[in-house]
Amino acid sequence: LTPTKIMSYSLYTIPYSHFCEAARWALDLRGIDYTEVGYLPGFHFAISPIARLRGSHLGTTQPNGTPLLYDHAGGGNVGTDSWECVEGNPRLNEAIKKRASACQNARVGARAGEDQAGDQKRGATSCPVDVHSPIPKDLKEILERDVGPPTRTLAYSYLLDAKTDGGKGDRAFADMIASAKSGWMQRSILGFSGPRAGLASAMHGRMVKDEKHVTESRERLAKAVETLERHLARDGGLGTFYARAEDGEKRPTLLATTTAALMYPVVWPEEVQTVIYGKTAVNLESLPEGYRAEIARWRATKLGQFCLDMYKEHRLVGARAAAS
């Protein structure tokens, strides 16, 4: 299951994970060529080489967690979690230097037409995002604690409930699984309602828990959105969500792309499905009514609109180049 064709870097993911999407977007912008190796939930514990490749020296509490960026040619980890892929580390920064600057050879966008191993031919473009400005520590903590986990909880509270709204949540979850860039065996097994229900139950117990936890997650996210919107409004977001380029133009920063990625489960940008699945796997209209209302709530915020704009204006630049 370890790809060696074309690229020495492998990005191990749960394809539709918003944490993996944050890493994927940043790596695309940094100009790192990689093969994505996707595993569905549960299988990333059971059959993936992630824990072995990650190694004990990293001291992680989640040895099987995704994403993981691995350098097969260099013989080691380059990015052990989403934040190392986003912010970089000495090994990743050295890799970027060796493979040319991010803005000289940026590769962004979608996975349309990838095969199972995840070989990608992303279109080259001038870098539309400032990849050098660091993410402020206090805002990183907010994203890590009060945005990423709550948006996951809210999304799964609908997707993992097979009974609500005529089973629309389960059907949407099944479509996400069937369309994910992962092994055919994984998709086949979870295509059956029994195994999928068992997985959904385990995931629900771990990440959704109960209605109290869902309510608390929604409240935490609301406070986080308010804080992030204050920074977005301050000086037009300069110094946080935007940086001034040498040509004088404002360019989004990695804080902007990471925020958009971690918010995607509750704003549901159309472009993210092209990035993850290479097509529209789940239409907004096919989601449970409660989930659609949840999405409408967060889309109505200034931060939600900012995230939608980030996807619309910046995520599929490479896809358009590849298609042209």
Side-chain angles (χ1 to χ4, degrees):
L1 294 175
T2 300
T4 57
K5 183 180 178 182
I6 299 178
M7 306 166 197
S8 65
Y9 290 97
S10 295
L11 181 66
Y12 293 86
T13 69
I14 294 175
Y16 58 77
S17 160
H18 56 334
F19 284 107
C20 292
E21 165 64 356
R24 191 164 42 215
W25 196 344
L27 293 173
D28 288 345
L29 291 168
R30 289 179 176 275
I32 294 293
D33 282 330
Y34 57 87
T35 299
E36 182 169 349
V37 186
Y39 287 90
L40 293 175
F43 290 97
H44 73 299
F45 282 99
I47 65 172
S48 84
I50 293 173
R52 174 176 57 81
L53 294 176
R54 179 172 270 118
S56 60
H57 65 284
L58 294 170
T60 180
T61 58
Q62 295 182 323
N64 295 93
T66 59
L68 170 69
L69 183 66
Y70 192 83
D71 181 3
H72 294 280
N77 299 287
V78 180
T80 185
D81 58 21
S82 56
W83 289 110
E84 285 201 357
C85 292
V86 169
E87 296 181 299
N89 57 37
R91 294 194 67 178
L92 179 56
N93 294 338
E94 183 62 25
I96 293 169
K97 290 179 181 178
K98 289 181 179 179
R99 291 174 178 252
S101 69
C103 286
Q104 289 175 331
N105 190 30
R107 303 202 182 267
V108 281
R111 270 72 188 155
E114 289 179 10
D115 60 20
Q116 180 178 321
D119 296 338
Q120 301 150 37
K121 295 181 180 179
R122 295 184 291 276
T125 181
S126 59
C127 187
V129 174
D130 181 287
V131 297
H132 304 295
S133 297
I135 297 179
K137 183 178 179 181
D138 58 332
L139 299 186
K140 174 185 174 181
E141 290 177 351
I142 289 174
L143 292 178
E144 190 171 21
R145 180 188 64 230
D146 300 326
V147 175
T151 58
R152 179 177 58 194
T153 292
L154 293 175
Y156 277 151
S157 71
Y158 302 102
L159 293 172
L160 302 180
D161 187 348
K163 299 179 181 179
T164 301
D165 202 1
K168 280 189 173 181
D170 177 63
R171 288 197 295 273
F173 188 42
D175 288 341
M176 292 166 62
I177 288 171
S179 301
K181 300 296 183 180
S182 60
W184 67 268
M185 181 187 70
Q186 302 172 48
R187 298 195 306 272
S188 298
I189 291 174
L190 293 180
F192 292 102
S193 59
R196 190 171 64 253
L199 173 65
S201 177
M203 293 172 64
H204 192 285
R206 181 178 178 183
M207 290 177 282
V208 179
K209 299 179 182 178
D210 51 33
E211 189 57 40
K212 178 182 178 183
H213 182 67
V214 173
T215 300
E216 291 174 347
S217 296
R218 190 176 288 114
E219 292 172 350
R220 284 167 53 202
L221 180 59
K223 291 180 181 178
V225 167
E226 289 179 2
T227 300
L228 293 170
E229 285 182 342
R230 286 197 295 270
H231 285 274
L232 186 60
R234 189 178 303 156
D235 297 325
L238 274 174
T240 51
F241 289 93
Y242 292 96
R244 187 73 70 183
E246 292 182 0
D247 58 10
E249 293 187 2
K250 285 173 58 177
R251 291 188 177 178
T253 62
L254 289 174
L255 171 65
T257 63
T258 304
T259 300
L262 295 184
M263 283 288 290
Y264 107 66
V266 296
V267 296
W268 207 263
E270 294 180 8
E271 297 78 10
V272 77
Q273 299 212 36
T274 303
V275 172
I276 295 173
Y277 306 110
K279 64 179 182 179
T280 300
V282 183
N283 288 311
L284 178 63
E285 294 75 18
S286 67
L287 294 175
E289 182 179 358
Y291 195 3
R292 296 199 305 272
E294 190 81 54
I295 290 169
R297 167 182 176 166
W298 300 107
R299 280 185 169 187
T301 65
K302 292 180 180 178
L303 186 70
Q305 188 58 56
F306 170 79
C307 293
L308 290 173
D309 290 343
M310 281 296 302
Y311 266 94
K312 184 176 182 179
E313 296 172 11
H314 297 285
R315 190 62 180 109
L316 297 185
V317 174
R320 296 190 189 105
S324 61

